[in-house]
Amino acid sequence: MTSAQDSVARSAEIAEVKKVQAAWINKKPPEWVRIHALPGFVRFPHMRHIKVLGTESCATCHGDVRAMPQVYQVATLKMGWCINCHVQRQVGRDCTLCHY
């Protein structure tokens, strides 16, 4: 990353921190832009995945967010992508695990 890119990333980060601080001061929830969205008929319990994959495994679905100047969706998060992950890790594939 060049120093100009680093400066732009740092400015963007400061602006986002200020948004969160303002929300806290005004006792309002921060306004987030949803990046990773799943259909309403799919349930994704993060805790279940963290127990299996570990706390450092967020990058499996979200990518290396720390290195992104702006967060973007890395994985498709479509059913086939999820099933492939379940097959690789030899965990349950019962439909009711995600569809309930």
Side-chain angles (χ1 to χ4, degrees):
M1 184 179 286
T2 68
S3 63
Q5 289 172 320
D6 189 43
S7 178
V8 169
R10 192 170 293 118
S11 295
E13 184 176 325
I14 290 169
E16 292 303 310
V17 168
K18 286 183 178 182
K19 287 181 190 178
V20 173
Q21 287 173 332
W24 176 261
I25 290 166
N26 295 318
K27 297 184 183 340
K28 294 183 177 180
E31 293 183 25
W32 301 110
V33 175
R34 182 173 291 277
I35 304 296
H36 299 85
L38 296 172
F41 55 84
V42 175
R43 302 290 174 258
F44 184 89
H46 276 89
M47 209 56 210
R48 188 181 299 167
H49 289 81
I50 290 169
K51 282 181 181 179
V52 172
L53 300 173
T55 56
E56 294 298 315
S57 65
C58 300
T60 302
C61 301
H62 296 284
D64 186 4
V65 173
R66 290 175 286 194
M68 295 178 190
Q70 184 171 352
V71 177
Y72 58 92
Q73 188 165 332
V74 174
T76 67
L77 304 181
K78 292 185 177 180
M79 186 172 160
W81 184 86
C82 295
I83 288 175
N84 186 45
C85 187
H86 280 229
V87 168
Q88 288 175 355
R89 287 162 179 77
Q90 299 178 349
V91 294
R93 288 180 282 162
D94 184 303
C95 298
T96 61
L97 291 173
C98 303
H99 301 276
Y100 55 91

